[in-house]
Amino acid sequence: MNLAELKSVCGACGIRELCLPAGLSDEEVHLLDQHVAHRQSVRKGDYLYRMGDPFRSLFAVSHGFFKTVLVHEDGRGQVTGFQMMGELLGLEAIHSERQVCDAIALEDSAVCTISFEQFEELGHLMGNLQHRFNQDLSREIAREHSLMMLLGTMRSEERLSVFLLDLARRHERRHQSGDAFVLRMTREDIGSYLGIKLETVSRLLSRLHDEGVLDVHGRHIRILDRQALAHRGQDSA
Amino acid sequence: MNLAELKSVCGACGIRELCLPAGLSDEEVHLLDQHVAHRQSVRKGDYLYRMGDPFRSLFAVSHGFFKTVLVHEDGRGQVTGFQMMGELLGLEAIHSERQVCDAIALEDSAVCTISFEQFEELGHLMGNLQHRFNQDLSREIAREHSLMMLLGTMRSEERLSVFLLDLARRHERRHQSGDAFVLRMTREDIGSYLGIKLETVSRLLSRLHDEGVLDVHGRHIRILDRQALAHRGQDSA
DNA sequence: TTTGCCAGTTGATCTGGGTCAGAATGTCGC
DNA sequence: GCGACATTCTGACCCAGATCAACTGGCAAA
Protein backbone atom coordinates (compact mmCIF):
# COMPACT_ATOMS: atom_id res chain seq x y z
CA MET A 1 0.00 0.00 0.00
CA ASN A 2 1.50 3.34 -1.01
CA LEU A 3 1.16 6.75 0.50
CA ALA A 4 -1.63 7.82 -1.83
CA GLU A 5 -3.75 4.89 -0.72
CA LEU A 6 -3.08 5.61 2.92
CA LYS A 7 -4.17 9.15 2.27
CA SER A 8 -7.47 8.01 0.88
CA VAL A 9 -8.76 5.58 3.39
CA CYS A 10 -12.41 6.62 3.47
CA GLY A 11 -12.72 7.26 -0.26
CA ALA A 12 -11.72 3.71 -1.06
CA CYS A 13 -13.46 2.09 1.89
CA GLY A 14 -15.99 -0.61 1.14
CA ILE A 15 -18.25 0.47 3.97
CA ARG A 16 -18.09 4.18 3.17
CA GLU A 17 -21.85 4.43 2.89
CA LEU A 18 -22.36 2.83 6.29
CA CYS A 19 -19.98 5.13 8.08
CA LEU A 20 -19.34 8.80 8.69
CA PRO A 21 -18.74 9.64 5.01
CA ALA A 22 -22.24 8.49 4.09
CA GLY A 23 -23.88 11.08 1.91
CA LEU A 24 -20.79 13.22 1.46
CA SER A 25 -19.43 14.18 -1.95
CA ASP A 26 -16.14 12.73 -3.18
CA GLU A 27 -14.44 16.02 -2.48
CA GLU A 28 -15.78 16.15 1.02
CA VAL A 29 -14.72 12.58 1.69
CA HIS A 30 -11.28 13.46 0.40
CA LEU A 31 -11.06 16.33 2.86
CA LEU A 32 -12.22 14.12 5.71
CA ASP A 33 -9.63 11.54 4.69
CA GLN A 34 -6.71 13.84 4.45
CA HIS A 35 -7.11 15.52 7.75
CA VAL A 36 -8.44 13.22 10.31
CA ALA A 37 -8.39 9.48 9.89
CA HIS A 38 -5.94 6.69 10.49
CA ARG A 39 -6.29 3.04 11.37
CA GLN A 40 -5.57 1.06 14.47
CA SER A 41 -6.06 -2.61 15.12
CA VAL A 42 -7.47 -4.05 18.32
CA ARG A 43 -7.04 -7.67 19.32
CA LYS A 44 -9.92 -9.80 20.51
CA GLY A 45 -10.48 -9.14 24.20
CA ASP A 46 -8.52 -5.89 24.22
CA TYR A 47 -9.94 -2.58 25.37
CA LEU A 48 -10.23 0.17 22.79
CA TYR A 49 -10.80 2.51 25.72
CA ARG A 50 -11.74 2.32 29.35
CA MET A 51 -13.93 4.44 31.57
CA GLY A 52 -11.87 7.36 32.83
CA ASP A 53 -9.47 7.48 29.88
CA PRO A 54 -9.16 10.99 28.46
CA PHE A 55 -11.56 11.53 25.59
CA ARG A 56 -9.82 12.83 22.47
CA SER A 57 -11.13 10.84 19.54
CA LEU A 58 -14.09 9.18 18.02
CA PHE A 59 -13.65 5.72 16.53
CA ALA A 60 -15.34 4.15 13.55
CA VAL A 61 -15.32 0.36 13.41
CA SER A 62 -13.44 -0.54 10.24
CA HIS A 63 -13.89 -4.24 10.71
CA GLY A 64 -14.64 -6.52 13.62
CA PHE A 65 -17.04 -6.30 16.50
CA PHE A 66 -17.12 -4.43 19.81
CA LYS A 67 -19.20 -4.18 22.91
CA THR A 68 -19.53 -1.15 25.18
CA VAL A 69 -19.97 -1.76 28.90
CA LEU A 70 -21.07 0.69 31.54
CA VAL A 71 -19.57 -0.25 34.90
CA HIS A 72 -21.30 0.91 38.04
CA GLU A 73 -19.22 1.87 41.10
CA ASP A 74 -20.35 -1.25 42.94
CA GLY A 75 -18.96 -3.45 40.20
CA ARG A 76 -22.17 -4.29 38.38
CA GLY A 77 -21.86 -3.83 34.66
CA GLN A 78 -24.29 -3.47 31.81
CA VAL A 79 -23.60 -3.98 28.12
CA THR A 80 -24.97 -0.83 26.47
CA GLY A 81 -24.37 -1.80 22.87
CA PHE A 82 -22.65 -3.91 20.24
CA GLN A 83 -20.89 -2.12 17.38
CA MET A 84 -20.33 -3.52 13.91
CA MET A 85 -18.31 -2.12 11.06
CA GLY A 86 -19.26 1.39 10.04
CA GLU A 87 -20.61 2.26 13.48
CA LEU A 88 -19.18 4.93 15.73
CA LEU A 89 -17.69 4.52 19.18
CA GLY A 90 -17.17 7.25 21.75
CA LEU A 91 -20.28 9.38 21.15
CA GLU A 92 -21.31 9.12 24.78
CA ALA A 93 -18.05 10.77 25.95
CA ILE A 94 -18.19 14.02 23.99
CA HIS A 95 -19.91 15.88 26.79
CA SER A 96 -17.15 14.91 29.19
CA GLU A 97 -13.37 15.08 29.28
CA ARG A 98 -13.29 11.36 29.95
CA GLN A 99 -14.57 8.12 28.60
CA VAL A 100 -17.71 7.06 30.43
CA CYS A 101 -17.72 3.38 29.54
CA ASP A 102 -15.44 0.54 28.38
CA ALA A 103 -15.17 -0.54 24.75
CA ILE A 104 -13.94 -4.09 24.22
CA ALA A 105 -13.20 -5.94 20.97
CA LEU A 106 -15.13 -9.22 20.72
CA GLU A 107 -12.99 -10.37 17.79
CA ASP A 108 -9.81 -9.12 16.13
CA SER A 109 -10.87 -5.72 14.87
CA ALA A 110 -9.70 -2.43 13.44
CA VAL A 111 -10.92 1.11 13.96
CA CYS A 112 -10.43 4.43 12.21
CA THR A 113 -9.47 7.08 14.72
CA ILE A 114 -10.73 10.63 14.36
CA SER A 115 -9.48 13.44 16.57
CA PHE A 116 -12.64 15.04 17.84
CA GLU A 117 -11.07 18.47 17.93
CA GLN A 118 -10.14 18.24 14.28
CA PHE A 119 -13.51 16.71 13.51
CA GLU A 120 -15.32 19.70 14.97
CA GLU A 121 -13.18 22.06 12.89
CA LEU A 122 -13.94 20.02 9.83
CA GLY A 123 -17.62 20.10 10.65
CA HIS A 124 -17.33 23.85 10.77
CA LEU A 125 -15.86 23.90 7.26
CA MET A 126 -18.31 21.34 5.98
CA GLY A 127 -21.91 21.95 7.01
CA ASN A 128 -22.87 18.72 5.37
CA LEU A 129 -20.60 16.69 7.63
CA GLN A 130 -21.89 18.44 10.71
CA HIS A 131 -25.45 17.79 9.59
CA ARG A 132 -24.75 14.08 9.14
CA PHE A 133 -23.13 13.98 12.53
CA ASN A 134 -26.10 15.61 14.23
CA GLN A 135 -28.20 12.92 12.61
CA ASP A 136 -25.88 10.17 13.84
CA LEU A 137 -26.09 11.46 17.40
CA SER A 138 -29.84 11.77 17.17
CA ARG A 139 -30.17 8.27 15.74
CA GLU A 140 -28.22 6.94 18.70
CA ILE A 141 -30.61 8.69 21.07
CA ALA A 142 -33.59 7.21 19.25
CA ARG A 143 -31.96 3.75 19.27
CA GLU A 144 -31.60 3.97 23.03
CA HIS A 145 -35.21 5.04 23.41
CA SER A 146 -36.16 1.80 21.69
CA LEU A 147 -33.89 -0.10 24.00
CA MET A 148 -35.54 1.54 26.99
CA MET A 149 -38.85 0.33 25.63
CA LEU A 150 -37.39 -3.14 25.29
CA LEU A 151 -36.02 -3.16 28.82
CA GLY A 152 -39.05 -1.47 30.32
CA THR A 153 -41.98 -3.27 28.72
CA MET A 154 -41.04 -6.49 26.91
CA ARG A 155 -40.94 -10.04 28.19
CA SER A 156 -37.73 -11.96 27.82
CA GLU A 157 -38.68 -13.92 24.70
CA GLU A 158 -39.64 -10.75 22.89
CA ARG A 159 -36.40 -9.07 23.94
CA LEU A 160 -34.35 -11.87 22.46
CA SER A 161 -36.39 -11.90 19.27
CA VAL A 162 -35.97 -8.17 18.81
CA PHE A 163 -32.26 -8.55 19.42
CA LEU A 164 -31.84 -11.30 16.83
CA LEU A 165 -33.89 -9.45 14.23
CA ASP A 166 -31.85 -6.30 14.82
CA LEU A 167 -28.64 -8.27 14.29
CA ALA A 168 -30.11 -9.78 11.12
CA ARG A 169 -31.02 -6.36 9.76
CA ARG A 170 -27.58 -4.98 10.50
CA HIS A 171 -25.88 -7.91 8.81
CA GLU A 172 -28.01 -7.40 5.75
CA ARG A 173 -27.10 -3.73 5.54
CA ARG A 174 -23.52 -4.94 5.36
CA HIS A 175 -24.34 -7.36 2.55
CA GLN A 176 -24.00 -10.33 4.85
CA SER A 177 -26.67 -12.93 5.36
CA GLY A 178 -29.27 -11.92 7.88
CA ASP A 179 -30.58 -15.48 8.06
CA ALA A 180 -27.35 -17.19 9.09
CA PHE A 181 -24.71 -15.51 11.18
CA VAL A 182 -22.34 -16.05 14.06
CA LEU A 183 -22.85 -14.42 17.43
CA ARG A 184 -19.64 -12.71 18.50
CA MET A 185 -20.68 -12.34 22.12
CA THR A 186 -21.33 -14.75 24.97
CA ARG A 187 -24.76 -15.63 26.35
CA GLU A 188 -23.84 -13.52 29.33
CA ASP A 189 -23.21 -10.45 27.14
CA ILE A 190 -26.54 -10.94 25.42
CA GLY A 191 -28.27 -11.30 28.75
CA SER A 192 -26.63 -8.21 30.16
CA TYR A 193 -27.65 -6.19 27.11
CA LEU A 194 -31.23 -7.44 27.32
CA GLY A 195 -31.58 -7.21 31.09
CA ILE A 196 -31.98 -10.97 31.60
CA LYS A 197 -29.74 -13.74 32.93
CA LEU A 198 -27.54 -15.94 30.77
CA GLU A 199 -29.49 -19.07 31.78
CA THR A 200 -32.64 -17.44 30.46
CA VAL A 201 -30.93 -16.59 27.17
CA SER A 202 -29.82 -20.20 26.86
CA ARG A 203 -33.26 -21.57 27.63
CA LEU A 204 -34.94 -19.23 25.18
CA LEU A 205 -32.53 -20.15 22.39
CA SER A 206 -33.14 -23.83 23.10
CA ARG A 207 -36.86 -23.30 23.02
CA LEU A 208 -36.82 -21.37 19.76
CA HIS A 209 -34.62 -24.12 18.34
CA ASP A 210 -37.01 -26.86 19.47
CA GLU A 211 -39.94 -24.99 18.01
CA GLY A 212 -38.27 -24.73 14.63
CA VAL A 213 -37.92 -20.95 14.63
CA LEU A 214 -34.12 -21.01 14.83
CA ASP A 215 -31.25 -23.33 14.20
CA VAL A 216 -28.82 -22.88 17.08
CA HIS A 217 -25.40 -24.53 17.18
CA GLY A 218 -23.43 -22.75 19.84
CA ARG A 219 -22.89 -19.30 18.44
CA HIS A 220 -24.02 -20.21 14.95
CA ILE A 221 -27.54 -18.98 14.40
CA ARG A 222 -29.85 -19.59 11.48
CA ILE A 223 -33.22 -17.90 11.42
CA LEU A 224 -35.71 -20.35 9.96
CA ASP A 225 -38.95 -18.46 10.44
CA ARG A 226 -38.72 -14.69 10.61
CA GLN A 227 -42.44 -14.20 10.87
CA ALA A 228 -42.65 -16.43 13.90
CA LEU A 229 -39.65 -14.68 15.45
CA ALA A 230 -41.18 -11.25 14.86
CA HIS A 231 -44.37 -12.23 16.67
CA ARG A 232 -42.72 -13.88 19.67
CA GLY A 233 -43.56 -12.65 23.12
CA GLN A 234 -45.88 -9.81 22.29
CA ASP A 235 -49.02 -11.90 21.99
CA SER A 236 -48.16 -15.58 22.55
CA ALA A 237 -47.65 -16.84 26.06
CA MET B 1 -43.22 44.01 27.04
CA ASN B 2 -41.81 45.93 24.10
CA LEU B 3 -40.18 44.78 20.91
CA ALA B 4 -36.65 45.09 22.25
CA GLU B 5 -37.47 42.71 25.07
CA LEU B 6 -39.08 40.25 22.75
CA LYS B 7 -35.94 40.34 20.69
CA SER B 8 -33.78 39.46 23.63
CA VAL B 9 -35.46 36.45 25.13
CA CYS B 10 -32.42 34.32 25.89
CA GLY B 11 -30.20 37.18 27.02
CA ALA B 12 -32.61 38.13 29.76
CA CYS B 13 -33.70 34.59 30.60
CA GLY B 14 -33.27 33.49 34.19
CA ILE B 15 -32.37 29.97 33.19
CA ARG B 16 -29.94 31.00 30.49
CA GLU B 17 -27.12 29.00 32.05
CA LEU B 18 -29.21 25.84 32.17
CA CYS B 19 -30.24 26.01 28.55
CA LEU B 20 -28.74 26.17 25.08
CA PRO B 21 -27.04 29.54 25.62
CA ALA B 22 -24.96 28.13 28.48
CA GLY B 23 -21.35 29.11 28.02
CA LEU B 24 -21.98 31.46 25.13
CA SER B 25 -20.82 35.07 25.16
CA ASP B 26 -23.35 37.92 25.35
CA GLU B 27 -22.82 38.62 21.68
CA GLU B 28 -23.39 35.01 20.74
CA VAL B 29 -26.53 34.83 22.85
CA HIS B 30 -27.74 37.98 21.16
CA LEU B 31 -27.26 36.38 17.76
CA LEU B 32 -29.06 33.24 18.89
CA ASP B 33 -31.89 35.40 20.22
CA GLN B 34 -32.36 37.52 17.20
CA HIS B 35 -32.53 34.79 14.69
CA VAL B 36 -34.19 31.78 16.05
CA ALA B 37 -36.21 31.84 19.22
CA HIS B 38 -39.77 32.61 20.17
CA ARG B 39 -42.10 31.39 22.88
CA GLN B 40 -45.14 29.21 22.86
CA SER B 41 -47.29 28.11 25.75
CA VAL B 42 -48.62 24.59 26.19
CA ARG B 43 -51.50 23.76 28.49
CA LYS B 44 -51.37 20.91 30.95
CA GLY B 45 -52.24 17.70 29.17
CA ASP B 46 -51.62 19.09 25.70
CA TYR B 47 -49.22 17.59 23.22
CA LEU B 48 -46.21 19.69 22.21
CA TYR B 49 -45.75 17.21 19.38
CA ARG B 50 -46.83 13.72 18.47
CA MET B 51 -45.10 10.81 16.84
CA GLY B 52 -45.31 11.27 13.09
CA ASP B 53 -45.52 15.06 13.13
CA PRO B 54 -43.02 16.65 10.77
CA PHE B 55 -39.80 17.55 12.55
CA ARG B 56 -38.81 21.17 12.03
CA SER B 57 -37.82 22.57 15.39
CA LEU B 58 -36.16 21.90 18.67
CA PHE B 59 -37.86 23.07 21.84
CA ALA B 60 -36.35 24.32 25.06
CA VAL B 61 -38.56 24.15 28.13
CA SER B 62 -38.94 27.74 29.32
CA HIS B 63 -41.05 26.80 32.29
CA GLY B 64 -43.19 23.86 33.24
CA PHE B 65 -42.73 20.14 32.96
CA PHE B 66 -43.01 17.60 30.14
CA LYS B 67 -42.85 13.89 29.58
CA THR B 68 -41.83 12.13 26.38
CA VAL B 69 -43.54 8.85 25.54
CA LEU B 70 -42.51 6.28 22.98
CA VAL B 71 -45.57 4.43 21.68
CA HIS B 72 -45.11 0.97 20.22
CA GLU B 73 -47.26 -0.14 17.31
CA ASP B 74 -49.21 -2.54 19.53
CA GLY B 75 -50.22 0.32 21.80
CA ARG B 76 -47.77 -0.23 24.63
CA GLY B 77 -46.06 2.96 25.66
CA GLN B 78 -42.95 3.80 27.61
CA VAL B 79 -42.10 7.11 29.21
CA THR B 80 -38.57 7.86 27.98
CA GLY B 81 -37.95 11.02 29.98
CA PHE B 82 -39.19 13.98 31.97
CA GLN B 83 -38.05 17.46 30.95
CA MET B 84 -37.73 20.46 33.24
CA MET B 85 -37.00 24.07 32.41
CA GLY B 86 -33.82 24.58 30.44
CA GLU B 87 -33.91 21.09 28.93
CA LEU B 88 -34.28 20.36 25.23
CA LEU B 89 -37.05 18.46 23.48
CA GLY B 90 -36.90 16.91 20.05
CA LEU B 91 -33.30 15.71 19.94
CA GLU B 92 -34.36 12.17 19.12
CA ALA B 93 -36.08 13.30 15.90
CA ILE B 94 -33.18 15.05 14.16
CA HIS B 95 -32.17 11.93 12.29
CA SER B 96 -35.65 11.60 10.84
CA GLU B 97 -38.10 13.81 9.03
CA ARG B 98 -40.67 13.03 11.67
CA GLN B 99 -41.15 13.08 15.39
CA VAL B 100 -40.50 9.65 16.86
CA CYS B 101 -42.28 10.09 20.18
CA ASP B 102 -44.97 12.15 21.91
CA ALA B 103 -44.20 15.12 24.15
CA ILE B 104 -46.91 16.00 26.66
CA ALA B 105 -47.06 18.90 29.14
CA LEU B 106 -47.61 17.69 32.72
CA GLU B 107 -48.44 21.21 33.87
CA ASP B 108 -49.10 24.54 32.16
CA SER B 109 -45.80 25.16 30.44
CA ALA B 110 -43.98 27.26 27.88
CA VAL B 111 -41.29 26.41 25.38
CA CYS B 112 -38.88 28.35 23.21
CA THR B 113 -39.06 27.12 19.64
CA ILE B 114 -35.95 26.95 17.50
CA SER B 115 -36.09 26.15 13.80
CA PHE B 116 -33.57 23.36 13.39
CA GLU B 117 -32.63 24.50 9.92
CA GLN B 118 -31.78 27.94 11.21
CA PHE B 119 -30.08 26.43 14.20
CA GLU B 120 -27.73 24.41 12.02
CA GLU B 121 -26.84 27.55 10.05
CA LEU B 122 -26.20 29.37 13.27
CA GLY B 123 -24.04 26.52 14.50
CA HIS B 124 -22.06 26.90 11.32
CA LEU B 125 -21.45 30.58 12.06
CA MET B 126 -20.78 29.93 15.71
CA GLY B 127 -18.47 27.00 16.41
CA ASN B 128 -19.03 27.51 20.08
CA LEU B 129 -22.76 26.91 19.78
CA GLN B 130 -22.20 23.79 17.71
CA HIS B 131 -19.72 22.52 20.25
CA ARG B 132 -22.20 23.01 23.08
CA PHE B 133 -24.84 21.27 21.07
CA ASN B 134 -22.62 18.25 20.40
CA GLN B 135 -22.12 18.08 24.14
CA ASP B 136 -25.85 18.27 24.78
CA LEU B 137 -26.51 15.41 22.40
CA SER B 138 -23.71 13.36 23.92
CA ARG B 139 -24.96 14.04 27.43
CA GLU B 140 -28.35 12.73 26.41
CA ILE B 141 -26.76 9.53 25.11
CA ALA B 142 -24.84 9.10 28.36
CA ARG B 143 -28.01 9.78 30.38
CA GLU B 144 -29.77 7.01 28.50
CA HIS B 145 -26.89 4.63 29.10
CA SER B 146 -27.42 5.19 32.81
CA LEU B 147 -31.08 4.55 32.36
CA MET B 148 -30.34 1.29 30.56
CA MET B 149 -28.23 0.31 33.55
CA LEU B 150 -31.13 1.18 35.82
CA LEU B 151 -33.63 -0.82 33.76
CA GLY B 152 -31.27 -3.71 33.16
CA THR B 153 -29.68 -4.32 36.55
CA MET B 154 -31.42 -2.57 39.43
CA ARG B 155 -34.18 -3.82 41.69
CA SER B 156 -37.31 -1.74 41.94
CA GLU B 157 -36.48 0.01 45.20
CA GLU B 158 -33.13 1.14 43.85
CA ARG B 159 -34.75 2.38 40.64
CA LEU B 160 -37.14 4.57 42.56
CA SER B 161 -34.37 5.89 44.81
CA VAL B 162 -32.20 6.80 41.85
CA PHE B 163 -35.18 8.51 40.25
CA LEU B 164 -35.96 10.61 43.33
CA LEU B 165 -32.32 11.59 43.84
CA ASP B 166 -32.07 12.60 40.18
CA LEU B 167 -35.15 14.79 40.53
CA ALA B 168 -33.69 16.32 43.70
CA ARG B 169 -30.44 17.13 41.93
CA ARG B 170 -32.23 18.72 38.99
CA HIS B 171 -34.39 20.85 41.29
CA GLU B 172 -31.29 22.06 43.06
CA ARG B 173 -29.62 23.09 39.83
CA ARG B 174 -32.66 25.27 39.31
CA HIS B 175 -32.32 26.82 42.76
CA GLN B 176 -35.33 24.95 44.02
CA SER B 177 -35.32 22.72 47.06
CA GLY B 178 -34.09 19.22 46.38
CA ASP B 179 -35.41 18.01 49.70
CA ALA B 180 -39.03 19.01 49.24
CA PHE B 181 -40.74 19.06 45.88
CA VAL B 182 -43.92 18.14 44.08
CA LEU B 183 -44.10 15.28 41.62
CA ARG B 184 -45.68 16.47 38.39
CA MET B 185 -46.35 13.00 37.05
CA THR B 186 -48.62 10.13 38.08
CA ARG B 187 -47.45 6.94 39.73
CA GLU B 188 -48.14 5.27 36.40
CA ASP B 189 -45.77 7.65 34.59
CA ILE B 190 -43.07 6.99 37.17
CA GLY B 191 -43.59 3.25 36.85
CA SER B 192 -43.49 3.36 33.08
CA TYR B 193 -40.26 5.34 33.16
CA LEU B 194 -38.70 2.93 35.66
CA GLY B 195 -39.99 -0.28 34.10
CA ILE B 196 -42.21 -1.22 37.04
CA LYS B 197 -45.97 -1.12 37.71
CA LEU B 198 -47.77 1.75 39.37
CA GLU B 199 -48.81 -0.49 42.28
CA THR B 200 -45.15 -1.21 42.95
CA VAL B 201 -44.31 2.50 42.90
CA SER B 202 -47.09 3.13 45.38
CA ARG B 203 -45.96 0.31 47.68
CA LEU B 204 -42.34 1.46 47.57
CA LEU B 205 -43.26 5.05 48.41
CA SER B 206 -45.38 3.83 51.31
CA ARG B 207 -42.52 1.68 52.56
CA LEU B 208 -39.96 4.48 52.34
CA HIS B 209 -42.45 6.71 54.16
CA ASP B 210 -43.01 4.14 56.92
CA GLU B 211 -39.27 3.69 57.32
CA GLY B 212 -38.73 7.41 57.78
CA VAL B 213 -36.70 7.92 54.61
CA LEU B 214 -39.35 10.05 52.90
CA ASP B 215 -42.37 12.09 53.76
CA VAL B 216 -45.01 11.30 51.15
CA HIS B 217 -48.31 13.15 50.90
CA GLY B 218 -49.75 12.36 47.52
CA ARG B 219 -47.42 14.06 45.09
CA HIS B 220 -45.68 16.09 47.76
CA ILE B 221 -42.33 14.52 48.57
CA ARG B 222 -39.85 15.40 51.27
CA ILE B 223 -36.58 13.56 51.43
CA LEU B 224 -35.75 13.04 55.11
CA ASP B 225 -32.67 10.86 54.81
CA ARG B 226 -30.65 11.15 51.62
CA GLN B 227 -27.98 8.75 52.78
CA ALA B 228 -30.52 6.03 53.38
CA LEU B 229 -32.16 6.74 50.04
CA ALA B 230 -28.84 6.57 48.23
CA HIS B 231 -28.12 3.13 49.66
CA ARG B 232 -31.53 1.61 49.02
CA GLY B 233 -31.76 -1.53 46.98
CA GLN B 234 -28.15 -2.06 46.10
CA ASP B 235 -27.21 -3.94 49.25
CA SER B 236 -30.21 -4.11 51.55
CA ALA B 237 -32.91 -6.67 50.94
C1' DT C 1 -3.13 -37.49 26.16
C1' DT C 2 -4.30 -35.39 30.24
C1' DT C 3 -5.82 -31.51 32.89
C1' DG C 4 -8.12 -27.46 33.68
C1' DC C 5 -11.15 -24.07 32.46
C1' DC C 6 -14.68 -21.50 30.31
C1' DA C 7 -19.08 -21.33 27.89
C1' DG C 8 -23.19 -23.33 27.53
C1' DT C 9 -27.21 -26.36 28.80
C1' DT C 10 -30.70 -28.13 31.74
C1' DG C 11 -33.30 -29.12 36.01
C1' DA C 12 -35.30 -27.86 40.63
C1' DT C 13 -36.73 -24.40 43.52
C1' DC C 14 -37.59 -19.69 45.05
C1' DT C 15 -39.15 -14.92 44.99
C1' DG C 16 -39.80 -10.01 43.46
C1' DG C 17 -42.84 -7.85 41.34
C1' DG C 18 -46.97 -8.54 38.37
C1' DT C 19 -51.97 -9.11 38.34
C1' DC C 20 -56.51 -8.62 40.00
C1' DA C 21 -59.69 -6.54 43.07
C1' DG C 22 -61.67 -3.24 46.05
C1' DA C 23 -61.56 0.67 49.04
C1' DA C 24 -59.99 5.40 49.93
C1' DT C 25 -58.72 9.79 48.48
C1' DG C 26 -58.16 13.69 45.23
C1' DT C 27 -59.49 16.76 41.72
C1' DC C 28 -62.26 19.14 38.53
C1' DG C 29 -66.42 20.87 36.28
C1' DC C 30 -70.73 22.60 37.30
C1' DG D 1 -70.53 22.24 47.71
C1' DC D 2 -71.53 18.15 45.07
C1' DG D 3 -71.26 14.50 41.83
C1' DA D 4 -68.28 12.03 38.70
C1' DC D 5 -64.14 10.36 37.45
C1' DA D 6 -59.18 9.71 37.94
C1' DT D 7 -55.55 8.52 40.93
C1' DT D 8 -53.61 6.20 44.77
C1' DC D 9 -53.33 2.71 48.21
C1' DT D 10 -53.53 -1.96 50.02
C1' DG D 11 -54.30 -6.89 50.20
C1' DA D 12 -54.27 -11.69 48.23
C1' DC D 13 -52.51 -14.55 44.96
C1' DC D 14 -49.60 -15.93 41.00
C1' DC D 15 -45.91 -16.56 37.69
C1' DA D 16 -41.79 -15.29 34.72
C1' DG D 17 -37.52 -15.28 35.37
C1' DA D 18 -33.78 -15.44 39.03
C1' DT D 19 -31.02 -18.44 41.65
C1' DC D 20 -28.59 -22.51 42.74
C1' DA D 21 -26.63 -26.58 41.16
C1' DA D 22 -25.06 -30.36 38.32
C1' DC D 23 -23.40 -31.72 34.06
C1' DT D 24 -21.43 -31.44 29.11
C1' DG D 25 -18.41 -30.17 25.50
C1' DG D 26 -14.65 -27.65 23.40
C1' DC D 27 -10.24 -25.94 23.48
C1' DA D 28 -5.68 -24.62 25.07
C1' DA D 29 -1.65 -25.42 27.82
C1' DA D 30 1.43 -28.80 29.70
Side-chain angles (χ1 to χ4, degrees), chain B:
Chain B
M1 189 186 272
N2 63 33
L3 195 63
E5 281 173 309
L6 277 170
K7 278 286 184 193
S8 185
V9 181
C10 294
C13 183
I15 56 168
R16 170 175 161 177
E17 285 307 317
L18 293 167
C19 190
L20 261 188
L24 299 187
S25 71
D26 285 347
E27 282 169 23
E28 287 170 325
V29 172
H30 193 63
L31 198 58
L32 180 63
D33 254 345
Q34 290 214 314
H35 287 264
V36 299
H38 74 269
R39 297 206 182 177
Q40 175 187 339
S41 67
V42 188
R43 287 286 182 73
K44 177 174 176 176
D46 283 355
Y47 286 73
L48 177 60
Y49 53 78
R50 284 170 191 268
M51 186 174 68
D53 286 355
F55 168 75
R56 292 198 201 89
S57 307
L58 298 178
F59 303 94
V61 180
S62 165
H63 72 261
F65 204 94
F66 287 83
K67 65 173 176 181
T68 47
V69 183
L70 190 59
V71 183
H72 200 257
E73 56 236 26
D74 61 11
R76 284 178 297 180
Q78 162 101 8
V79 174
T80 56
F82 299 105
Q83 294 78 28
M84 300 172 68
M85 62 182 187
E87 295 172 337
L88 296 175
L89 279 157
L91 298 179
E92 69 288 335
I94 292 170
H95 73 99
S96 164
E97 301 278 290
R98 306 250 155 214
Q99 294 293 347
V100 295
C101 59
D102 296 342
I104 299 155
L106 295 181
E107 59 181 6
D108 289 349
S109 303
V111 296
C112 300
T113 302
I114 304 149
S115 150
F116 187 64
E117 199 178 316
Q118 287 185 281
F119 180 72
E120 280 198 319
E121 283 172 28
L122 214 58
H124 191 62
L125 295 175
M126 237 192 281
N128 206 8
L129 179 64
Q130 182 62 60
H131 179 69
R132 303 292 311 188
F133 187 59
N134 283 337
Q135 291 188 327
D136 285 337
L137 288 164
S138 173
R139 199 188 322 279
E140 180 64 12
I141 292 170
R143 184 188 75 83
E144 292 186 4
H145 278 188
S146 302
L147 214 36
M148 284 173 56
M149 170 81 103
L150 179 142
L151 291 168
T153 74
M154 295 183 188
R155 0 193 99 280
S156 61
E157 194 179 45
E158 191 177 7
R159 295 185 196 195
L160 185 65
S161 302
V162 167
F163 171 71
L164 291 173
L165 290 168
D166 180 59
L167 275 187
R169 196 182 44 72
R170 285 157 75 192
H171 278 109
E172 282 166 358
R173 280 235 196 122
R174 285 158 184 78
H175 310 294
Q176 294 163 10
S177 169
D179 289 328
F181 51 85
V182 178
L183 298 173
R184 307 297 174 176
M185 72 294 284
T186 66
R187 303 290 193 255
E188 187 166 17
D189 287 333
I190 297 172
S192 172
Y193 183 62
L194 299 177
I196 55 186
K197 291 287 147 182
L198 70 95
E199 293 94 330
T200 303
V201 174
S202 180
R203 274 186 249 272
L204 290 170
L205 286 173
S206 298
R207 190 157 87 213
L208 290 169
H209 180 86
D210 292 347
E211 293 176 357
V213 179
L214 299 177
D215 231 14
V216 183
H217 289 102
R219 298 195 181 179
H220 291 261
I221 300 286
R222 178 179 295 277
I223 298 175
L224 301 174
D225 186 347
R226 279 213 195 199
Q227 281 304 102
L229 197 58
H231 293 311
R232 283 285 143 167
Q234 57 196 54
D235 37 24
S236 69

Side-chain angles (χ1 to χ4, degrees), chain A residues 68-126:
Chain A
T68 47
V69 183
L70 190 60
V71 183
H72 200 256
E73 56 236 24
D74 62 10
R76 283 177 298 180
Q78 163 101 8
V79 174
T80 56
F82 298 106
Q83 293 78 26
M84 301 173 66
M85 62 183 187
E87 295 172 337
L88 296 174
L89 279 157
L91 298 180
E92 70 289 336
I94 292 170
H95 73 99
S96 163
E97 301 279 290
R98 308 249 155 214
Q99 294 293 348
V100 294
C101 61
D102 297 342
I104 299 156
L106 294 181
E107 61 183 4
D108 288 350
S109 302
V111 295
C112 300
T113 302
I114 303 149
S115 150
F116 187 65
E117 200 178 317
Q118 287 185 281
F119 180 73
E120 280 198 319
E121 283 173 28
L122 213 58
H124 191 60
L125 294 174
M126 235 192 283

